[in-house]
Amino acid sequence: RFSKMWLHNKCRDINVEWLEKLAVPAGLTQSSSAVQKEPPAVLARFPGVRPFDLSVQTITGIKGIDVTITSTPNLATSPTDQPWVSHLNHTKKEVMKWGGTPMV
């Protein structure tokens, strides 16, 4: 089993780079500093959670992107069920991140 953290961080950093370069010319922000990597305290109700891997403070409010690298899930009983099994795996991890209880 391999860690996905390296790939996740690389994808996040690449997205930050191109957003910093394009946000101002695209009219999304007034400054490239409006693009932040893992901004803290975005949500008052969840001060310890970093919900976004990167955010852009646009003229209409904050927009966030969460980079997700899915792991190889447990095999489903049939190939047609595999997307659903992957979705459940991702949802369970997101619920755990927010401190909830996964409902499976």
Side-chain angles (χ1 to χ4, degrees):
R1 190 172 170 141
F2 297 98
S3 171
K4 301 173 296 191
M5 186 65 70
W6 180 87
L7 181 58
H8 171 275
N9 291 346
K10 206 63 157 161
C11 290
R12 179 203 58 210
D13 294 347
I14 288 169
N15 280 299
V16 168
E17 277 185 43
W18 70 259
L19 271 170
E20 285 176 337
K21 292 176 183 171
L22 296 176
V24 176
L28 294 174
T29 67
Q30 306 233 344
S31 166
S32 63
S33 65
V35 177
Q36 291 188 339
K37 179 168 63 173
E38 295 192 356
V42 173
L43 303 169
R45 261 183 80 194
F46 301 97
V49 174
R50 295 179 311 214
F52 309 133
D53 287 310
L54 59 121
S55 70
V56 181
Q57 182 66 48
T58 69
I59 55 175
T60 60
I62 193 167
K63 309 294 186 239
I65 297 174
D66 187 24
V67 175
T68 302
I69 306 298
T70 58
S71 61
T72 305
N74 296 331
L75 291 177
T77 53
S78 74
T80 56
D81 291 338
Q82 194 63 54
W84 179 245
V85 171
S86 297
H87 171 73
L88 286 177
N89 186 41
H90 176 71
T91 301
K92 186 189 302 185
K93 289 182 178 183
E94 283 296 306
V95 170
M96 287 170 55
K97 175 173 98 174
W98 289 92
T101 303
M103 296 188 294
V104 179

